[in-house]
Amino acid sequence: MNVITDHLSEFGDGLLLTVGLTLLSLAGALVAGVVVAAMRVSPVRVLRAAGMVYVETLQNVPLLVWLVLAVFGLPEIGVMAGLFTSSVVVIALYQGAYTAEAVRSGINAVPVGQGEAARALGLTFPQSLRLVILPQALRTVVQPLGNIAIMTLMNTALAAAVGVVELTAAANRVNLAEARPIWIFVTAGLAYMALSGAIGLATGTLERKLAILR
């Protein structure tokens, strides 16, 4: 256990970076997901097509490929950004594709009469979506969004491949110095489990709270 206590600062810094990367990526994914889901249910054919292309493109190319392209490819065409910023943007856009599908399923679960009632009141499509449909839709997809949050947490480990020193990269650096892989990576795994458990607990609590309010 000395190998862990001797390197607590490295593990702590990696853990904090993982949490920051996860939270920022989730925020971006939620924004992107809601926008793309709205596009996919829009009455405008071009917007529906653009939303479908976004989802299909992002979901059918591995995240690691997108990370490598962003970090090593974009500078070749003059687009410069830090490793952390690039990773946040790429992970957010990637997870946004899955978030969009979850939100779209929630929109489809809202009774058709809700939209018809909104139109009868004179609301435009954007207004009915924002004021009537989305609030109900988001309540029905709390659990799927929680699963996407856990997926996002796990996917932040791929940022290590492009030089971001998050928890996995920090554990690997400690292992290169100490050569104690079992203790080191079990500790990192337990940290990921604790974060996943916290997300699951928060998701369950939020789901129950929203279910009571409905």
Side-chain angles (χ1 to χ4, degrees), residues 50-89:
M52 183 184 69
V53 169
Y54 174 91
V55 171
E56 294 297 325
T57 302
L58 270 293
Q59 286 189 348
N60 288 290
V61 176
L63 174 58
L64 184 57
V65 173
W66 291 117
L67 285 168
V68 171
L69 283 174
V71 172
F72 301 109
L74 290 180
E76 295 293 325
I77 59 174
V79 180
M80 308 296 293
L83 294 177
F84 183 82
T85 301
S86 297
S87 297
V88 167
V89 172

Side-chain angles (χ1 to χ4, degrees), residues 17-204:
L17 201 61
T18 291
V19 171
L21 188 57
T22 301
L23 292 176
L24 291 173
S25 298
L26 278 176
L30 186 58
V31 172
V34 170
V35 171
V36 174
M39 292 169 63
R40 296 210 64 186
V41 300
S42 170
V44 181
R45 181 178 299 179
V46 174
L47 292 179
R48 292 200 306 271
M52 183 184 69
V53 169
Y54 174 91
V55 171
E56 294 297 325
T57 302
L58 270 293
Q59 286 189 348
N60 288 290
V61 176
L63 174 58
L64 184 57
V65 173
W66 291 117
L67 285 168
V68 171
L69 283 174
V71 172
F72 301 109
L74 290 180
E76 295 293 325
I77 59 174
V79 180
M80 308 296 293
L83 294 177
F84 183 82
T85 301
S86 297
S87 297
V88 167
V89 172
V90 171
I91 295 173
L93 292 175
Y94 181 81
Q95 297 298 146
Y98 293 91
T99 304
E101 290 299 276
V103 174
R104 186 167 72 98
S105 70
I107 292 173
N108 291 335
V110 176
V112 177
Q114 296 289 320
E116 294 175 346
R119 287 192 295 273
L121 292 172
L123 297 180
T124 63
F125 175 77
Q127 288 174 330
S128 63
L129 191 65
R130 178 171 58 89
L131 300 174
V132 178
I133 298 174
L134 272 177
Q136 298 180 67
L138 291 175
R139 288 183 175 186
T140 66
V141 294
V142 172
Q143 192 60 52
L145 291 178
N147 293 336
I148 290 172
I150 293 174
M151 177 184 173
T152 303
L153 168 65
M154 299 307 168
N155 281 339
T156 60
L158 292 175
V162 294
V164 179
V165 189
E166 43 66 70
L167 182 57
T168 298
N172 191 50
R173 289 189 176 190
V174 173
N175 184 56
L176 289 175
E178 300 289 347
R180 300 286 298 276
I182 294 178
W183 281 108
I184 292 167
F185 286 104
V186 165
T187 299
L190 290 174
Y192 280 112
M193 287 178 61
L195 291 174
S196 298
I199 293 173
L201 182 62
T203 300

